Amino acid sequence: MSWRPITLIAALCLTLSVPGVAAADDPPPEVEQRAGTQAPAEVSGLSEPARAADPVAAAKAHLTDPRYHLDPADLQPVRTVVDGQDETVRFAQRHRGVPVFGAHYLVHLRKDGAQREIVGAGGRFLTELTVDTTPTVTKETAEKIAIGLRPRGYTGRERPAATARELVVLPRGTGVLAWHVVLNSRSERGSTGPASPPMLLDTYVDAHSGRPLFTVDRLRREGPVQGTGRTAHGSDVTLNAYERADGAVELRDRARPMWNGSTGEILTYDAAGADVQGFLEPGIPPGTELAESPSPVFGPEHTATGAVDAHHGAGLVYEFYRGLGRDGLDGQGGTMLSVVNVTAGGQPFTNAFWDGTKMVYGGGGTDYHSFAASLDVVGHEMTHGVITHSADLVYLGQSGAINEGLADYFGNAVQVDALGIPMSDPDASLLGEGLCKNLPPAECAGRDLDDARVAAEDYLGLTIALDNGGVHVNSTIFSGALWDVREQLGGRRADRLAYKALTEYMTPLDDFVDGRRAVESAARALGWPARDRLTVARAFDRHGIKPGWERHLRTDSRLLIDGVTDFNAVPDVAGDRYVISDSSPDATAPSRILTGRLRGGKPVVLAADDRWNYYPKTDGAQVVWASFDDARTSFRVSARPIDGSAPARVVQDTPDVVTGLAVAGDVIAWEAFDPASGEVEVWAKRGAAAPVRLSAEAGVSGYSPSIRGGKVAYTREWEEGGFFHSTPAVYDLATGTQVVVPEVPGTVGPSYTVMPILLERYVVWTADTNFDGRFAVMRAAHDGTGSTAVVPDGPAAPTLNWFDANDSTISMGLWPDGDTLGNATLPKVFQVPLTGGTPRRVSCNAGAQDYFSAGTGARLAWLDGTDGNTDLVTRDRPVVRC
């Protein structure tokens, strides 16, 4: 139980205090509206005869009723779910023939013999869409922009492959036409540097303006969890296998009802240690073989790779969902694919994910068993397949947390039922508790469905750049409520409730309150009595999932801008002034450049036109920013006095994507990505002089310019001896000379330099000497001498997510140590004197403290996710304690 039991008298009092839960009948039909559309979120309590014998035709005919305010011609049938007498028809909205992202509408029917009636309907249908569906941005341009402006965290040394798949309409305002671009980390050019993590991103680029809108990570990864070896429960198991003509036995299961003679198998492949990067495309790569044995006995080597557990677990997952009336992950008896024994650069890949078509498992080694060795992880990841083929909850923010929460719930349900674990067992609610070789279950588990988390108290607000907006860290708020119901009302009843809510009532963009409504609607449709429906309501209440829960979140920072909506927003501060890019509340308008003061007050608009403006920088007197227009003929660097006393002027037009800027006095520098060469170049311009390319040598890239006193510092990167090298360089514009700071010695090859900042006396930068993700903070004179570590590298060095400095203070965004995502391990901002010392925390805010910029002294402005969205906030000094 995730909350305390109450006394009998208290329970009776609570029951009597809730209207409509005694013997009273359900209320008459009700219409619940949804903001921004005339189509209702839900119409419940109906009992209207169907106007056709076919459920799809009957559903479409019903939706012609004026109460829905929609044209059924804009609906495309997706699937029909049959659950006994209940039928649910799911439609996907089209606008002028183009699919509308996340817009599903559901109609619920009930059969009585040959008769059929409509009992409810609802979902998301956007009635206000008017956007033109003819793109003015080509596929090629969309691909170029998606690569050049991909999110931080996916900007590795290798340039990804990009494919523009289709046009979609995003449900923002009157609609935004967008290209769906898939970014895959299978590089278009070689790299001899350290292996980057796998990447498979769905990126959406405005098809009229070229503006990047948002990105969804398709890989459903899990954190470190535990197993037992041969199987998740340590027992020998029976495997449905297939003996070939040559006598070899494959892990090919054709014994399930879904096998129809040509498809509907459970197949388990052995990657034989191949790199995970080769398994990011749909399906199974050519040359990958099924796990096999010379006899029907699959020995210890198949336990070590995870083949036994993956194959056995997939069968148990199939049977679990078959018990709920579902034939396979897709509901149509489609083949279920698993791949085990993948690695990351030859090292153990300690993770698992569902990529939309198959399961991929890594693991093994000193600390972990194969990630297929825990049945709840197998069930969790495969449930993502069920979700994809039903409500298709978008993997962002609260809808993504529901997606993860349902996978949590069903993954644990599969395990406790298959292994006969009582719901009262303290380990029953743990996810992945059996994967670690050297840790007890409670320390190994990635999540706990009995963690008693309450939305307003425990919601961890992340910006979209982190965990897709908190899909993992917030999942147990929702799954915990469902698990409470299972603990109190029984497993199969609760499973049936959650499954019906997922497949018949949820829609892709649901938030926590929408998800609760779906579960309660499913309870009514199942005919649950008032007492059981009250149990469901109490479970969600005790986890704080109720309308308006976000208003109870607390912060200790001063709010500057509430709800920053620009995808590329990064603040910059000089003295008491800040600049940032921002869009309209619905994120559809061209982004503007705003400026304001750290002491507060309404921000002032410096640039608001038909261009898409981003990455502003200021020296306190003027502001520079990058932009591109609807024609995408060029990327532009513009400048304007910060007080608006003169109009904006164009500093430079370039055909390349501008990805970074700096300004100080009459010097402006920028970083530009050249898709043709794959190199990034740093340019600088002083006054009216022609721009100078600082990284002009062939094979040299430049990143992150910083300016002080007529000099420009940047990260200089080149390839030599089969390795990438990087170190700060300081270019003097007055003399045209350049100093390359000596590289910080590395321990396993060259060190890796990031974000040099030029100060009055020093250049400071961060360096990772052994590619473990921990960084030293270095300081040297402008001439490269006196290099010293302000914060040394090593096992105790910080894991950085952002970095800035002024002449007295270094500010560091730190990922605290720990494997479990939670408040204690979200990135926080710390400060340390330029001369070194003990880092001090800037703010006690519970959410992520993301991009930030330093003013004078300890002043700092940053993007904060604590309030449930992305806010620009500030503090003048570190906190005393948290």
Side-chain angles (χ1 to χ4, degrees), residues 45-126:
L46 296 175
S47 181
E48 300 178 7
R51 286 183 259 168
D54 175 74
V56 175
K60 277 202 168 186
H62 174 73
L63 293 177
T64 62
D65 190 299
R67 68 164 72 106
Y68 294 101
H69 302 280
L70 58 81
D71 183 357
D74 292 334
L75 293 173
Q76 178 176 315
V78 176
R79 64 182 62 89
T80 300
V81 176
V82 179
D83 181 14
Q85 294 179 310
D86 292 342
E87 296 172 325
T88 297
V89 180
R90 180 181 293 269
F91 296 98
Q93 183 182 0
R94 297 291 188 271
H95 172 65
R96 300 177 184 174
V98 177
V100 180
F101 181 87
H104 285 193
Y105 215 76
L106 312 172
V107 178
H108 308 286
L109 306 93
R110 183 163 292 154
K111 291 183 65 177
D112 185 7
Q115 302 300 313
R116 179 182 280 112
E117 66 175 357
I118 309 292
V119 296
R124 290 179 187 269
F125 185 99
L126 287 305

Side-chain angles (χ1 to χ4, degrees), residues 580-603:
I580 193 170
S581 59
D582 196 16
S583 183
S584 58
D586 61 0
T588 60
S591 48
R592 307 166 297 166
I593 301 300
L594 306 180
T595 183
R597 296 188 182 276
L598 294 184
R599 63 174 179 263
K602 185 177 180 180

Side-chain angles (χ1 to χ4, degrees), residues 222-504:
E222 285 302 315
V225 279
Q226 183 195 8
T228 58
R230 299 171 75 178
T231 66
H233 48 78
S235 302
D236 292 330
V237 294
T238 300
L239 298 173
N240 293 326
Y242 183 82
E243 184 176 359
R244 300 197 311 250
D246 61 4
V249 182
E250 301 173 331
L251 288 183
R252 178 191 297 271
D253 184 351
R254 293 180 174 177
R256 311 289 172 178
M258 65 177 175
W259 171 248
N260 64 9
S262 61
T263 188
E265 305 173 86
I266 296 176
L267 303 177
T268 303
Y269 290 82
D270 188 343
D275 193 89
V276 66
Q277 300 282 357
F279 293 87
L280 301 181
E281 293 287 349
I284 304 298
T288 309
E289 303 291 340
L290 287 166
E292 66 176 59
S293 171
S295 74
V297 177
F298 285 80
E301 67 274 18
H302 298 291
T303 300
T305 64
V308 171
D309 289 288
H311 198 68
H312 180 62
L316 293 175
V317 172
Y318 172 81
E319 294 300 335
F320 176 87
Y321 280 108
R322 184 178 172 224
L324 292 172
R326 187 178 191 86
D327 191 18
L329 303 184
D330 64 356
Q332 305 296 318
T335 291
M336 296 166 58
L337 305 173
S338 299
V339 179
V340 300
N341 199 17
V342 300
T343 65
Q347 299 301 311
F349 176 63
T350 54
N351 224 318
F353 59 82
W354 163 263
D355 73 350
T357 63
K358 65 181 178 292
M359 278 303 310
V360 179
Y361 298 99
T366 303
D367 298 322
Y368 299 101
H369 299 291
S370 163
F371 267 62
S374 192
L375 182 56
D376 51 2
V377 173
V378 176
H380 173 106
E381 298 297 347
M382 286 192 158
T383 294
H384 283 305
V386 176
I387 295 169
T388 297
H389 292 288
S390 54
D392 199 18
L393 289 152
V394 175
Y395 208 60
L396 290 172
Q398 290 184 42
S399 62
I402 297 175
N403 189 320
E404 277 294 313
L406 288 165
D408 291 344
Y409 173 87
F410 284 117
N412 274 26
V414 169
Q415 177 167 284
V416 298
D417 284 4
L419 303 185
I421 300 172
M423 288 291 289
S424 58
D425 189 309
D427 292 344
S429 61
L430 301 178
L431 177 66
E433 72 279 5
L435 284 180
C436 299
K437 290 183 176 180
N438 306 311
L439 291 176
E443 293 182 33
C444 181
R447 289 191 285 282
D448 182 359
L449 275 65
D450 265 344
D451 60 10
R453 294 179 66 202
V454 177
E457 300 173 12
D458 302 308
Y459 186 84
L460 301 178
L462 299 184
T463 60
I464 197 172
L466 301 171
D467 189 34
N468 280 33
V471 299
H472 290 96
V473 300
N474 292 315
S475 65
T476 57
I477 296 173
F478 193 86
S479 59
L482 293 176
W483 199 250
D484 288 352
V485 175
R486 198 178 206 270
E487 289 174 327
Q488 295 168 70
L489 298 181
R492 297 310 286 174
R493 289 190 74 207
D495 297 345
R496 183 172 172 78
L497 173 68
Y499 180 74
K500 191 175 186 71
L502 166 64
T503 57
E504 300 180 43

Side-chain angles (χ1 to χ4, degrees), residues 642-702:
I642 199 167
D643 61 5
S645 58
R649 59 186 176 88
V650 176
V651 176
Q652 185 70 23
D653 269 322
T654 172
D656 299 332
V657 180
V658 177
T659 53
L661 287 160
V663 60
D666 63 347
V667 181
I668 297 172
W670 61 92
E671 166 193 312
F673 173 71
D674 180 3
S677 67
E679 292 182 358
V680 178
E681 308 287 0
V682 170
W683 296 79
K685 180 179 175 66
R686 186 166 201 169
V692 178
R693 185 170 63 165
L694 309 188
S695 52
E697 299 97 322
V700 172
S701 287

Side-chain angles (χ1 to χ4, degrees), residues 523-607:
R524 289 195 301 270
L526 288 169
W528 279 22
R531 177 166 46 183
D532 291 345
R533 299 204 314 268
L534 178 60
T535 297
V536 173
R538 284 174 173 168
F540 282 102
D541 284 345
R542 290 184 181 272
H543 284 268
I545 300 176
K546 57 184 82 173
W549 65 267
E550 296 96 333
R551 292 193 295 269
H552 299 285
L553 301 171
R554 300 179 183 276
T555 63
D556 62 13
S557 51
R558 184 166 65 253
L559 181 67
L560 297 174
I561 299 179
D562 184 12
V564 175
T565 59
D566 183 34
F567 174 81
N568 292 309
V570 180
D572 191 50
V573 173
D576 185 47
R577 301 300 296 262
Y578 70 83
V579 291
I580 193 170
S581 59
D582 196 16
S583 183
S584 58
D586 61 0
T588 60
S591 48
R592 307 166 297 166
I593 301 300
L594 306 180
T595 183
R597 296 188 182 276
L598 294 184
R599 63 174 179 263
K602 185 177 180 180
V604 175
V605 178
L606 280 182

